[in-house]
Amino acid sequence: MAREQLQVLNALDVAKTQWYHFTAIIIAGMGFFTDAYDLFCISLVTKLLGRIYYHVEGAEKPGTLPPNVSAAVNGVAFCGTLAGQLFFGWLGDKLGRKKVYGMTLMLMVLCSVASGLSFGHTPKSVMATLCFFRFWLGFGIGGDYPLSATIMSEYANKKTRGAFIAAVFAMQGFGILAGGIFAIILSSAFKAAFEAPTYEADAIRSTVPQADYLWRIILMVGALPAALTYYWRMKMPETARYTALVAKNAKQAASDMSKVLQMDIEAEPQKIVQIEKQKSGFGLFSREFAKRHGLHLLGTTSTWFLLDIAFYSQNLFQKDIFSAIGWIPSAKSMNAIEEVFRIARAQTLIALCSTVPGYWFTVAFIDKMGRFAIQLMGFFFMTVFMFALAIPYDHWTHKDNRIGFVIMYSLTFFFANFGPNATTFVVPAEIFPARLRSTCHGISAASGKLGAIVGAFGFLYLAQNKDKSKADAGYPAGIGVKNSLIVLGVVNALGFLFTFLVPESKGKSLEEMSGENEDNEAQEETELSSSTERRTVPFP
């Protein structure tokens, strides 16, 4: 690879778009489909969990999850995801992408099923087991982030690499959409089969006993897409970049990619020997890494952290915002299953009209506009629309203006996905050296999940009404939805500024972005210079 890149890597960089690209997108993307379904389906059923397990006899409003329980149920999967991103990101660089890929998927399948089977006879025991299994579900989901991104970046050609990685991530939109649609279908079936009065008409009978099956089925179905793709994940060959540059096995890399690309590729073991002689194999905590990639890592971690504060607080608490503006009727005017149906319908509409199109706009334009321009544009418009919602918030709460609010709210989702939610996933998979690529992506993604935890826990309290008597049961007074939206607007503005630390990787090979080509050229020049000096030194 010195001066001249390894043939196997060059073949990948210039390969025409082929069937194996689409196969890799589907195999990796179904993991993200499952990730999104599992992470976001909990927001569809938290109100139902409150009605079932925390009903208070004679209360004016239906039961709700206590603040600490709600925070745990909503946020525990993110804690697991953060840990999984760091652990599996590191493991993917140590053992290889493929070996670790199957582990994460099996963990997701088992814990999806176990979440729905959460056992116990008391509210505390059911919530404790639910949180336990959702933590480990999150741990498996966390591993999917760095591994899917790294595998796709290392398989793709440099011309359309951004679109391929973004397409894997875009499956997240379909996962959110599928969760909402499935909840609509299932709650409609339950509603037809088990008629119930509204809460204000009959508090006890408004939550039918069968409602306990509804949330369990919704959570358990998340295991299906992951289980269906397990076999295909295990059949994928290890990426050539890991095999050649990290495992130093040129023969295996050439053999694997010859089958994938359906062409003859020379093994070139002599170039691998040159790579092994490099003296610049710096580690993650070295001064050399800080000098070359320190600002890049700061850029990817900070922008993902800021983006996820806004993105996850919006996603998880859509139901609260829709209730605040009156788009979803008051809880007491519905029965338990009707409430699940209304929440799912609202979230599905947002996903269909803004979330999914936003992802695919990124896929279409990322290799034309570049990552930097899309991320900057996304943060800019998220800031604009957030302030446009927040400053005249009282105007939007009037009944005649609610549709306008929903449209503006949808646009913040559109520009999150046609913007930093996609690019923060793509860029860390492109700009770091092969031996640290999965680790650095895991660190960047974990920083994002830290932001998601801040959003999930923080917004839960912040968005409560300023008047404690109007806040949800058990919650202290907050700063209200209006001020919470202003805070999120400021967070997006900071994301815009930190984007300037992130380099553009459009149209460049992974080795060019990470500086691995330069390492080899410098090493070759040093060796050439040394050998010349040895030849010119006269014998005594």
Side-chain angles (χ1 to χ4, degrees):
M1 187 173 110
R3 286 193 185 284
E4 189 183 333
Q5 193 176 31
L6 275 169
Q7 188 185 337
V8 65
L9 305 188
N10 188 59
L12 284 166
D13 278 343
V14 299
K16 291 179 180 177
T17 300
Q18 298 176 37
W19 178 245
Y20 85 89
H21 286 122
F22 295 108
T23 305
I25 288 170
I26 292 166
I27 294 168
M30 285 310 289
F32 267 88
F33 178 96
T34 308
D35 296 348
Y37 182 99
D38 287 335
L39 284 176
F40 293 109
C41 69
I42 195 69
S43 65
L44 299 168
V45 299
T46 47
K47 297 268 190 185
L48 178 61
L49 290 171
R51 284 187 185 243
I52 295 170
Y53 295 106
Y54 293 91
H55 171 71
V56 178
E57 194 68 42
E60 185 187 342
K61 296 178 183 177
T64 57
L65 296 178
N68 59 331
V69 176
S70 182
V73 168
N74 279 301
V76 72
F78 294 141
C79 297
T81 305
L82 189 156
Q85 285 162 337
L86 292 172
F87 176 72
F88 286 115
W90 168 79
L91 204 61
D93 282 333
K94 293 295 177 189
L95 301 182
R97 296 36 164 147
K98 181 190 172 181
K99 283 183 182 176
V100 184
Y101 216 22
M103 296 182 205
T104 62
L105 211 59
M106 283 313 299
L107 198 55
M108 286 156 60
V109 170
L110 293 172
C111 292
S112 286
V113 174
S115 295
L117 294 174
S118 296
F119 46 83
H121 299 291
T122 65
K124 186 179 278 188
S125 61
V126 173
M127 293 302 120
T129 51
L130 175 61
C131 288
F132 175 81
F133 290 122
R134 280 193 65 79
F135 174 86
W136 290 107
L137 172 66
F139 193 71
I141 288 171
D144 225 40
Y145 276 73
L147 293 169
S148 290
T150 301
I151 284 171
M152 200 63 240
S153 73
E154 292 182 346
Y155 263 109
N157 61 53
K158 62 184 179 182
K159 187 179 177 183
T160 56
R161 185 179 61 236
F164 289 153
I165 305 172
V168 169
F169 194 62
M171 295 297 284
Q172 197 177 66
F174 288 130
I176 296 170
L177 189 63
I181 291 171
F182 183 69
I184 288 171
I185 294 168
L186 201 62
S187 58
S188 297
F190 270 69
K191 198 165 59 164
F194 311 108
E195 289 186 20
T198 63
Y199 182 86
E200 55 192 354
D202 189 330
I204 299 293
R205 289 181 58 241
S206 69
T207 305
V208 294
Q210 293 83 357
D212 195 47
Y213 294 116
L214 179 60
W215 71 267
R216 294 176 185 276
I217 295 169
I218 289 171
L219 295 190
M220 290 169 72
V221 163
L224 283 177
L228 291 172
T229 52
Y230 180 78
Y231 170 75
W232 298 106
R233 278 202 180 184
M234 291 298 91
K235 283 194 72 177
M236 284 180 82
E238 181 58 86
T239 71
R241 284 183 161 91
Y242 182 85
T243 307
L245 300 178
V246 184
K248 308 287 195 272
N249 189 339
K251 189 176 179 181
Q252 187 64 50
S255 172
D256 288 342
M257 291 307 107
S258 293
K259 292 173 188 172
V260 167
L261 296 172
Q262 297 180 333
M263 61 185 287
D264 292 328
I265 298 173
E266 189 184 342
E268 302 178 299
Q270 73 282 0
K271 290 187 180 178
I272 293 292
V273 171
Q274 290 174 356
I275 293 170
E276 286 177 330
K277 289 179 181 177
Q278 286 182 52
K279 305 291 190 293
S280 56
F282 51 85
L284 180 64
F285 299 106
S286 66
R287 185 176 296 176
E288 186 67 18
F289 179 86
K291 178 182 166 186
R292 294 186 182 209
H293 299 292
L295 283 178
H296 296 163
L297 190 58
L298 176 61
T300 58
T301 52
S302 59
T303 51
W304 208 335
F305 172 76
L306 293 163
L307 176 274
D308 274 10
I309 291 176
F311 184 73
Y312 279 88
S313 58
Q314 280 178 268
N315 257 303
L316 285 171
F317 302 107
Q318 284 182 57
K319 60 187 182 300
D320 301 309
I321 289 172
F322 290 144
S323 296
I325 63 162
W327 211 45
I328 294 175
S330 64
K332 64 183 180 181
S333 66
M334 299 180 283
N335 63 46
I337 293 172
E338 172 73 14
E339 188 172 35
V340 173
F341 174 81
R342 294 290 189 116
I343 292 167
R345 191 176 65 176
Q347 290 195 196
T348 302
L349 188 63
I350 291 290
L352 194 61
C353 297
S354 61
T355 305
V356 172
Y359 281 117
W360 291 98
F361 264 73
T362 300
V363 174
F365 292 105
I366 192 166
D367 287 311
K368 296 181 178 72
M369 293 174 62
R371 291 73 164 141
F372 180 79
I374 288 178
Q375 185 160 312
L376 215 56
M377 176 194 70
F379 270 127
F380 174 78
F381 282 111
M382 285 171 74
T383 306
V384 168
F385 287 119
M386 205 64 81
F387 284 135
L389 287 172
I391 294 167
Y393 180 73
D394 293 334
H395 164 80
W396 296 119
T397 57
H398 296 143
K399 192 171 184 180
D400 294 340
N401 303 324
R402 285 171 187 167
I403 298 300
F405 181 95
V406 172
I407 291 169
M408 296 277 278
Y409 189 63
S410 298
L411 284 169
T412 64
F413 279 103
F414 177 80
F415 282 106
N417 295 310
F418 183 29
N421 193 41
T423 54
T424 52
F425 177 81
V426 172
V427 174
E430 300 181 307
I431 63 176
F432 298 108
R435 65 186 176 279
L436 299 171
R437 186 170 290 134
S438 179
T439 302
C440 289
H441 195 286
I443 292 169
S444 303
S447 177
K449 279 299 162 283
L450 188 61
I453 292 165
V454 171
F457 287 91
F459 199 75
L460 192 67
Y461 288 87
L462 284 178
Q464 293 300 322
N465 200 295
K466 292 179 185 177
D467 182 352
K468 191 173 185 316
S469 64
K470 294 181 181 177
D472 288 344
Y475 286 86
I479 62 173
V481 173
K482 175 178 179 173
N483 291 330
S484 297
L485 291 172
I486 290 174
V487 170
L488 294 182
V490 171
V491 166
N492 290 328
L494 288 171
F496 179 89
L497 296 175
F498 276 98
T499 296
F500 287 95
L501 296 176
V502 181
E504 179 56 76
S505 49
K506 181 181 79 168
K508 297 177 182 176
S509 76
L510 297 180
E511 289 68 45
E512 191 180 348
M513 281 307 303
S514 64
E516 286 165 294
N517 276 345
E518 294 167 22
D519 290 344
N520 294 314
E521 287 183 22
Q523 179 64 22
E524 188 184 60
E525 285 169 11
T526 302
E527 290 176 358
L528 187 62
S529 173
S530 299
S531 63
T532 304
E533 284 174 16
R534 283 195 298 272
R535 285 198 302 271
T536 56
V537 172
F539 287 104

